[in-house]
Amino acid sequence: MFGRIARPATLAALAGALMMGTAAAQTNVKIGILGDRSGAYSDISGEGSVVAAKLAVEDFKPDAHGLKVEIVSADHQNKPDVGAAIARQWYDRDNVDMITDGVTSSVALAISQVTKEKNKVFIDTGAGTADLTGPQCTPNTIHWVYDTVALANGTGGAMVKRGGNTWFFLTADYVFGQTLQRDTSAVITKNGGKVVGSVKTPFPTSDFSSFLLQAQGSGAKVIGLANAGTDTINAIKQAGEFGITEGGQALAGLLVFSSDVHSLGTKVAQGLVLTEPFYWDLNDQTRAFSDRFAKQMKGGSKPTANHAGVYSDVLHYLKAVAELKSTTDGAATVAKMKAMPTDDPLFGKGVIRADGRKIHDMYLFEVKKPAESKGEWDLYKKLETIPGDQVFRPLNEGNCPLVKG
């Protein structure tokens, strides 16, 4: 009788021990989405990046891999000191293992250095400066979605080939704008074109009138907008008010997201040529993801390339952590991510190079005319697929200290 009474207790003890063993074997992972939630890039980044990260976790099914994943988020306000302070607090006090998003190049460079110091992981999706995989590359940072070299080769190269051989730049006065002008100027010159002038614009700014008048007066065939977000939207709107394109000059949006074009509308943005690595309507897989994303977004907005990048990099990061069963050594995790080919529904197959550059195809798009658009998010027609090994900077040209020889 006593044996019968003790048996359930024994089974309960065994079950408890098994549960303790399972808990001990589980790897806790904390991912921080550090982006712009209130400023010029909030449509590109913001809550959409959090939604994308959560969808990636849902699709990965962490329980099946012995992982428990938590997502946290914060607003860096497009200020490097704020971004660095949040990153430091997250790493030191809040046990964050990986930070992603990072829109705004000056902020991303600051986060990257803190991440190296703390031996954690930073995967940039939203910031453009190619210096992240060039002179300022680190063993702890990966650059995922696009960069200034890819944009220059895509949009800049296409515009020159179409006859736009003289350029004037409106350049956002911080790291991103300056590197985008630098890299696009190199492509223009290489293809036989010429930069006839440029002007630095405050970031952010709402009034581009004086800058557009300078560009108009230059006589350049192309006005290159080396800016992004609401700055790009405002510049394009005001260029329309000045009749710049009607006067024969072309606008080149060097970093344009689908959310920007949606805000402008096809009537204003029609004919704009741009380069992106993702568009919601590319194929069945991008459409399926975008429908899920839109259901969780206020207003039903479609994902930007930055949001797609957050989804993609979180998936790949979790795959690496599941293999390693650890998050303690950030550089080791990044090395594992580089060793594993990338493959996801939004970007397809790719690789991460030694310098931290994620390689995948980019696409040259043209904004549809209103008569061609079948709905509010039917924005682009694809002109060209640009292979990843052609659009991104060659590995041996970036001056990354991690690249030998």
Side-chain angles (χ1 to χ4, degrees):
M1 183 173 71
F2 289 106
R4 290 178 185 172
I5 294 172
R7 191 173 180 184
T10 303
L11 290 173
L14 285 169
L18 286 170
M19 288 177 67
M20 287 178 65
T22 302
Q26 192 175 59
T27 302
N28 293 318
V29 185
K30 199 167 186 179
I31 296 172
I33 313 301
L34 186 49
D36 178 358
R37 297 183 63 87
S38 58
Y41 302 149
S42 55
D43 286 344
I44 297 164
S45 171
E47 183 61 19
S49 293
V50 178
V51 168
K54 289 180 177 178
L55 288 173
V57 173
E58 178 183 314
D59 289 350
F60 184 72
K61 298 178 174 59
D63 288 345
H65 296 86
L67 305 182
K68 181 180 179 182
V69 182
E70 181 183 355
I71 303 291
V72 296
S73 65
D75 185 353
H76 60 45
Q77 303 171 45
N78 297 311
K79 298 176 181 178
D81 56 337
V82 174
I86 293 171
R88 196 174 298 278
Q89 176 185 306
W90 274 358
Y91 291 148
D92 286 345
R93 193 185 75 183
D94 300 333
N95 299 314
V96 169
D97 302 296
M98 185 270 270
I99 292 174
T100 188
D101 197 338
V103 65
T104 313
S105 291
S106 53
V107 180
L109 290 168
I111 296 170
S112 181
Q113 291 305 310
V114 174
T115 302
K116 179 184 176 184
E117 176 190 334
K118 301 298 180 179
N119 193 24
K120 299 288 187 173
V121 177
F122 174 46
I123 309 176
D124 171 67
T125 57
T129 178
D131 288 355
L132 280 166
T133 55
Q136 298 198 48
C137 73
T138 85
N140 299 79
T141 292
I142 296 172
H143 203 174
W144 202 267
V145 177
Y146 70 97
D147 62 29
T148 49
V149 172
L151 298 174
N153 284 328
T155 307
M159 295 297 285
V160 175
K161 289 174 185 175
R162 289 180 166 206
N165 57 2
T166 55
W167 286 61
F168 187 100
F169 285 96
L170 269 60
T171 302
D173 192 13
Y174 78 105
V175 174
F176 164 71
Q178 294 159 12
T179 53
L180 185 51
Q181 179 183 332
R182 177 197 70 194
D183 294 338
T184 308
S185 297
V187 170
I188 293 165
T189 304
K190 183 179 178 180
N191 285 277
K194 183 180 180 182
V195 177
V196 299
S198 66
V199 60
K200 292 180 179 179
T201 64
F203 171 73
T205 188
S206 58
D207 185 4
F208 283 86
S209 55
S210 63
F211 310 122
L212 286 166
L213 286 172
Q214 289 182 58
Q216 193 174 35
S218 73
K221 293 180 181 178
V222 180
I223 299 173
L225 303 177
N227 51 23
T230 54
D231 277 7
T232 299
I233 292 169
N234 288 332
I236 293 173
K237 283 180 178 177
Q238 290 165 34
E241 292 167 5
F242 279 103
I244 284 177
T245 54
E246 292 173 6
Q249 290 175 297
L251 288 179
L254 294 169
L255 178 57
V256 177
F257 290 88
S258 56
S259 57
D260 303 327
V261 177
H262 179 263
S263 178
L264 287 163
T266 53
K267 185 177 180 180
V268 174
Q270 62 182 306
L272 190 68
V273 175
L274 55 102
T275 304
E276 289 220 61
F278 168 86
Y279 175 50
W280 74 268
D281 200 20
L282 270 177
N283 54 53
D284 289 343
Q285 290 180 306
T286 58
R287 284 187 285 271
F289 169 78
S290 299
D291 286 345
R292 290 171 62 204
F293 178 94
K295 287 175 182 176
Q296 297 194 35
M297 292 295 292
K298 185 178 179 180
S301 61
K302 299 294 187 183
T304 65
N306 183 60
H307 300 145
V310 170
Y311 174 89
S312 175
D313 78 51
V314 168
L315 268 183
H316 194 66
Y317 171 75
L318 291 175
K319 290 176 186 177
V321 171
E323 288 280 336
L324 293 170
K325 307 295 184 188
S326 172
T327 60
T328 56
D329 186 339
T333 305
V334 168
K336 186 67 176 177
M337 292 178 72
K338 291 177 180 178
M340 301 166 63
T342 63
D343 191 4
D344 66 80
L346 307 188
F347 289 83
K349 297 182 184 297
V351 297
I352 303 170
R353 297 190 315 202
D355 59 354
R357 177 66 257 169
K358 161 74 161 56
I359 303 298
H360 47 251
D361 292 345
M362 299 280 282
Y363 305 96
L364 191 68
F365 294 111
E366 183 177 313
V367 177
K368 290 183 174 181
K369 297 175 182 177
E372 297 172 321
S373 176
K374 298 176 182 178
E376 67 168 316
W377 286 96
D378 183 20
L379 305 171
Y380 297 167
K381 53 185 176 184
K382 188 173 74 172
L383 301 179
E384 183 182 347
T385 299
I386 313 172
D389 60 357
Q390 295 178 23
V391 73
F392 289 103
R393 178 176 56 205
L395 181 62
N396 63 352
E397 294 181 7
N399 298 315
C400 169
L402 302 175
V403 178
K404 297 177 181 178

